[in-house]
Amino acid sequence: ASTEAVRGLLSGKAEQLRLEQRYRRLDGGIVWGILTASLLRDAEGRPIHFVAGIQDITEMKRASEALRDAHDDLERRVEERTNLLSEEISQRRRTEEQLKLYREIFRHAREAVVVLDREGRLLERNEAHRGLFGGSDEELRGSRPAYVPPDRLERIAEGVGKEGFFEGEFVLEAVGGRRVDAHLSAFAVRSAGGEILCYVAILRDVTARRRQEAALRTLLEGTAAVTGDPFFRSLVSTLCAALRVK
């Protein structure tokens, strides 16, 4: 490229030569410079000699390279951040879809489900819980479930705190005084650090089953009085096996 530029000066096609290139100093160091050269001619236009000067642009070159490196680094960081944001958005969408699924399960579950805060106060409940225990959400929200006696509530909380899970059957009282035989399962929802965030209780109405068991017990006791103990024991064993009752 420099040879062509010199030829341009000699032929008269160019009035000035300007080149940016590296130079090696006497001490071996490398510098960047801009060479500017012109060709002096005599009165008849014949070349006499060149006039040249070199401008040291080493610092400017370093600054330019530093700026380019900073620009490349910025672009890399922007790309990394964009990819991270895209992943966060995707993760958020997956979480929202999971929450939507869990909420649909919560809403339409046949079992009564209630969410309590760390103090045992009602936060949320599903439609099955409303149908089983009655009352309005406005009246019950922020209060402890009245259908669970305080001593039993403490027993449940203690079981969940020690074992992480509690299961048992209780006779509970719904709004209006109606008695409900219920099978209760409860567990705690914890943060990543292990702190309890809330409690979840799932209650299943077993009133009909309890009545059937009581009726069966009455029938068996009456049968025993008439048929005698050996036949009674055999009958009880057969019926318990068929009904899967212990």
Side-chain angles (χ1 to χ4, degrees), residues 194-210:
E195 179 184 4
I196 293 178
L197 301 177
C198 64
Y199 297 99
V200 178
I202 303 172
L203 301 105
R204 185 171 68 254
D205 187 357
V206 296
T207 306
R209 192 199 74 193
R210 286 283 186 88

Side-chain angles (χ1 to χ4, degrees), residues 128 160 164:
V160 172

Side-chain angles (χ1 to χ4, degrees), residues 77-93:
R77 292 187 180 186
V78 169
E79 183 178 2
E80 290 176 353
R81 182 58 180 165
T82 301
N83 293 335
L84 181 60
L85 288 175
S86 298
E87 179 59 29
E88 289 178 353
I89 292 173
S90 299
Q91 181 62 40
R92 188 178 304 165
R93 287 176 179 172

Side-chain angles (χ1 to χ4, degrees), residues 48-81:
I48 302 175
H49 56 78
F50 290 99
V51 177
I54 298 177
Q55 178 187 359
D56 186 352
I57 60 169
T58 304
E59 292 301 322
M60 184 177 68
K61 196 71 173 179
R62 288 173 181 170
S64 177
E65 291 176 354
L67 181 62
R68 183 172 61 253
D69 291 343
H71 178 269
D72 293 342
D73 182 63
L74 178 61
E75 284 191 336
R76 178 182 57 80
R77 292 187 180 186
V78 169
E79 183 178 2
E80 290 176 353
R81 182 58 180 165

Side-chain angles (χ1 to χ4, degrees), residues 28-232:
I30 300 297
V31 296
W32 280 89
I34 294 180
L35 170 66
T36 303
S38 300
L39 180 62
L40 292 181
R41 299 175 182 273
D42 60 18
E44 297 179 358
R46 291 189 297 268
I48 302 175
H49 56 78
F50 290 99
V51 177
I54 298 177
Q55 178 187 359
D56 186 352
I57 60 169
T58 304
E59 292 301 322
M60 184 177 68
K61 196 71 173 179
R62 288 173 181 170
S64 177
E65 291 176 354
L67 181 62
R68 183 172 61 253
D69 291 343
H71 178 269
D72 293 342
D73 182 63
L74 178 61
E75 284 191 336
R76 178 182 57 80
R77 292 187 180 186
V78 169
E79 183 178 2
E80 290 176 353
R81 182 58 180 165
T82 301
N83 293 335
L84 181 60
L85 288 175
S86 298
E87 179 59 29
E88 289 178 353
I89 292 173
S90 299
Q91 181 62 40
R92 188 178 304 165
R93 287 176 179 172
R94 289 193 293 268
T95 301
E96 290 174 352
E97 291 173 357
Q98 290 177 346
L99 289 175
K100 182 179 179 180
L101 174 62
Y102 296 152
R103 181 161 293 277
E104 289 300 308
I105 294 174
F106 175 82
R107 288 179 54 193
H108 299 291
R110 298 181 63 181
E111 289 79 10
V113 184
V114 60
V115 181
L116 309 175
D117 65 15
R118 289 181 293 183
E119 303 301 324
R121 295 184 293 260
L122 187 143
L123 294 174
E124 194 170 0
R125 61 178 183 159
N126 67 351
E127 191 60 38
H129 189 280
R130 297 185 186 96
L132 184 59
F133 293 101
S136 67
D137 292 358
E138 290 74 16
E139 294 173 345
L140 299 178
R141 185 172 289 113
S143 62
R144 293 189 173 188
Y147 55 80
V148 182
D151 59 330
R152 291 182 180 176
L153 193 61
E154 291 178 3
R155 177 185 166 193
I156 295 169
E158 182 180 358
V160 172
K162 289 182 177 180
E163 306 295 334
F165 185 84
F166 178 87
E167 190 170 7
E169 291 191 358
F170 302 97
V171 178
L172 307 176
E173 186 173 322
V175 174
R178 181 173 58 87
R179 291 168 61 87
V180 177
D181 290 288
H183 178 277
L184 181 146
S185 301
F187 60 91
V189 177
R190 299 178 182 270
S191 67
E195 179 184 4
I196 293 178
L197 301 177
C198 64
Y199 297 99
V200 178
I202 303 172
L203 301 105
R204 185 171 68 254
D205 187 357
V206 296
T207 306
R209 192 199 74 193
R210 286 283 186 88
R211 289 174 179 171
Q212 291 173 357
E213 290 175 351
L216 177 60
R217 190 177 302 108
T218 300
L219 173 63
L220 294 177
E221 290 173 353
T223 303
V226 176
T227 60
D229 189 63
F231 178 78
F232 169 72

